[in-house]
């Protein structure tokens, strides 16, 4: 029996890919699937962890000795190290973790894990920590102990999101605006069965390319550039020209999506998602053929309003906006066609449904 439980959801990013670490705009929405952490206090400064998903003996470490070991325990170590680094005092504990967020599918099981663990530790140790600060500690866990140089989108979405409400986040100011789904819409996430687990290296390269493009253009972050500066961007050496163009145009597409959601403009959503997918495929080069195929099959369905890859790329999932009530049946038809084309399954989940 645990002393307390905490949980946090995964998320699907509706649009705004690889914009977060450039200080730009994103539009994630939490999904119904969650990670749950049971916590039992102990008095010896040891943290012992079991995960239902990754079977094996309990893994343990002593608070204050957190060091990267390349296993999933790094996510937990990262949380306790980040809390301690921010001056919070925490006691040892036994943690039992379980989740129904698919791991490594672009739905941010990693942020769900970090936010759930941090919530459990906040409650057990009575820490003064608001939800934004908690999310930023989760990002720090992932950056420093896990070693993925990701932006703060995933943890902010998991920490602050509410069902069926997208979060429009400006990563430079951390201003957040809640954007409800328009009426009669299903948000489906369909996996490609291509795991992005080996994508960390490519993610790191994209981030470095963005930093280099910003440096050559004389700005601190690509966020500072708008569509009026695309001519200057075109003068960068390849592939930095394409990388920067993706970030600048993707930021514009996030703004346009917020506007289209407010107006319930299905045609605009379809155009914007298509342009986003093409930009990820051709300019940022983070899609794989199976994902391109999945999007093509999705947009061919009459009930589909819009579809694009979601998440960091190199596999993972697509997000599909479908006419309300039709999402699961449509996803099943897309999966059947995908199986014929690729021999792979395409597991789907209903991420949100508005009335
Ligand atoms: P995503 O966040 O898109 O699911 P990541 O590669 O960022 O993909 O994170 C997945 C990794 O996070 C897993 O390989 C595992 O190391 C860790 N992880 C996530 N959830 C759990 C869990 N419930 N138990 C143990 N490890 C987990
Ligand atoms: Mg992740």
């Amino acid at each position: 029996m645990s002393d307390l439980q905490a949980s946090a959801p995964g998320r699907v990013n509706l649009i705004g890919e690889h914009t977060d670490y450039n200080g730009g705009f994103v539009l994630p929405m939490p999904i119904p699937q969650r990670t749950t952490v049971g916590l039992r206090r102990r008095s010896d400064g040891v943290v012992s962890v079991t995960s239902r998903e990754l079977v094996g003996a309990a893994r343990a470490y002593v608070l204050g000795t957190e060091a990267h070991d390349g296993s999933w325990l790094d996510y937990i170590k990262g949380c306790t190290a980040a809390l301690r680094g921010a001056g919070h005092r925490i006691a040892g504990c036994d943690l039992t973790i379980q989740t129904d967020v698919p791991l490594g599918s672009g739905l941010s099981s990693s942020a769900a894990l970090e936010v759930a663990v941090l919530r459990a530790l906040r409650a057990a140790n009575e820490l003064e920590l608001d939800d934004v600060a908690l999310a930023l500690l989760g990002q720090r866990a992932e950056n420093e102990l896990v070693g993925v140089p990701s932006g703060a989108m995933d943890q902010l979405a998991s920490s602050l999101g509410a069902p069926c409400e997208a979060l429009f986040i400006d990563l430079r100011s951390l201003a957040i605006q809640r954007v409800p789904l328009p009426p009669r819409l299903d948000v489906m996430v369909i996996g490609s069965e291509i795991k992005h687990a080996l994508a960390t290296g490519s993610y790191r390269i994209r981030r470095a390319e963005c930093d280099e493009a910003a440096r050559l253009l004389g700005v601190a972050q690509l966020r500072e550039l708008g569509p009026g500066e695309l001519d200057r961007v075109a003068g960068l050496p390849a592939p930095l020209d394409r990388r920067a163009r993706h970030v600048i145009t993707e930021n514009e597409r996030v703004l346009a999506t917020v506007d289209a959601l407010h107006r319930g403009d299905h045609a605009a959503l379809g155009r914007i998602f298509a342009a986003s997918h093409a930009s990820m495929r051709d300019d940022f080069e983070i899609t794989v053929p199976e994902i391109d195929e999945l999007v093509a099959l999705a947009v061919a369905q009459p009930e589909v309003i819009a579809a694009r890859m979601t998440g960091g790329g190199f596999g993972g999932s697509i997000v599909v906006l479908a006419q309300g009530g039709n999402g699961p049946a449509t996803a099943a038809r897309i999966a059947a066609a995908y199986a014929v084309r690729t021999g792979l399954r395409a597991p789907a989940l209903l991420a949100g449904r508005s009335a």
Side-chain angles (χ1 to χ4, degrees):
M1 275 301 289
S2 50
D3 297 337
L4 61 90
Q5 274 207 348
S7 72
R11 63 95 189 97
V12 55
N13 191 24
L14 298 185
I15 195 161
E17 229 60 79
H18 288 261
T19 46
D20 63 346
Y21 58 77
N22 288 299
F25 304 128
V26 293
L27 192 63
M29 187 181 81
I31 59 176
Q33 289 70 22
R34 305 180 73 85
T35 297
T36 303
V37 175
L39 181 149
R40 192 171 180 167
R41 294 182 185 83
R42 42 193 291 170
S43 51
D44 58 0
V46 168
V47 176
S48 172
V49 197
T50 55
S51 167
R52 188 187 66 181
E53 272 55 53
L54 301 171
V55 196
R59 304 282 315 273
Y61 63 94
V62 177
L63 286 170
T65 68
E66 293 91 344
H68 174 88
D69 70 27
S71 82
W72 58 272
L73 197 64
D74 287 341
Y75 293 87
I76 318 295
K77 290 179 186 166
C79 291
T80 57
L83 279 171
R84 289 158 37 77
H88 296 288
R89 293 169 61 90
I90 50 176
C93 55
D94 294 329
L95 299 174
T96 48
I97 295 162
Q98 59 182 72
T99 191
D100 53 4
V101 182
L103 269 55
S105 297
L107 296 170
S108 207
S109 67
S110 59
L113 176 60
E114 290 147 5
V115 172
V117 166
L118 287 166
R119 283 178 170 168
L121 293 170
R122 174 171 68 182
N125 298 281
E126 296 175 4
L127 305 179
E128 289 213 16
L129 197 58
D130 67 34
D131 291 340
V132 171
L134 185 144
L136 296 178
L137 288 176
Q139 181 202 11
R140 191 163 154 192
E142 190 137 349
N143 291 171
E144 292 181 4
L145 242 295
V146 181
V148 181
S150 46
M153 164 173 73
D154 298 349
Q155 293 82 6
L156 286 167
S158 182
S159 182
L160 297 160
C164 288
E165 211 176 60
L167 288 180
F168 170 54
I169 309 175
D170 177 338
L171 268 303
R172 185 168 64 179
S173 65
L174 291 184
I176 294 174
Q177 192 183 316
R178 295 177 185 272
V179 182
L181 292 180
R184 292 180 299 287
L185 193 80
D186 280 2
V187 180
M188 300 298 301
V189 177
I190 307 178
S192 66
E193 262 200 334
I194 309 287
K195 291 281 178 202
H196 70 168
L198 299 173
T200 311
S202 313
Y203 189 99
R204 202 182 298 280
I205 292 168
R206 288 297 176 278
R207 186 164 183 161
E209 288 169 341
C210 289
D211 290 346
E212 177 64 1
R215 193 184 67 78
L216 291 174
L217 292 163
V219 293
Q221 290 185 301
L222 288 179
R223 151 63 189 275
E224 287 161 39
L225 303 171
E229 273 124 333
L230 284 172
D231 281 351
R232 263 179 76 213
V233 167
L236 288 172
L240 302 184
D241 52 350
R242 302 198 300 278
R243 306 294 188 254
R245 184 167 61 193
H246 165 75
V247 173
I248 292 166
T249 57
E250 185 79 348
N251 278 328
E252 291 301 304
R253 285 186 289 267
V254 177
L255 299 174
T257 301
V258 171
D259 187 51
L261 287 174
H262 282 310
R263 289 185 287 111
D265 185 339
H266 290 185
L269 290 168
R271 284 194 303 271
I272 300 163
F273 274 39
S276 173
H277 189 81
S279 179
M280 292 188 288
R281 183 190 60 215
D282 303 333
D283 278 355
F284 220 62
E285 296 180 272
I286 53 171
T287 73
V288 295
E290 292 84 354
I291 285 278
D292 296 338
E293 180 76 42
L294 207 45
V295 167
L297 293 169
V299 295
Q301 303 289 328
E303 301 85 357
V304 168
I305 297 162
R308 56 180 287 281
M309 184 186 80
T310 183
F314 310 100
S317 304
I318 70 166
V319 57
V320 176
L321 309 184
Q323 286 162 10
N326 288 297
T330 306
R333 280 202 307 283
I334 296 167
Y338 183 67
V340 170
R341 294 286 182 96
T342 64
L344 296 169
R345 289 177 341 111
L349 56 88
L350 180 62
R353 167 173 284 175
S354 58

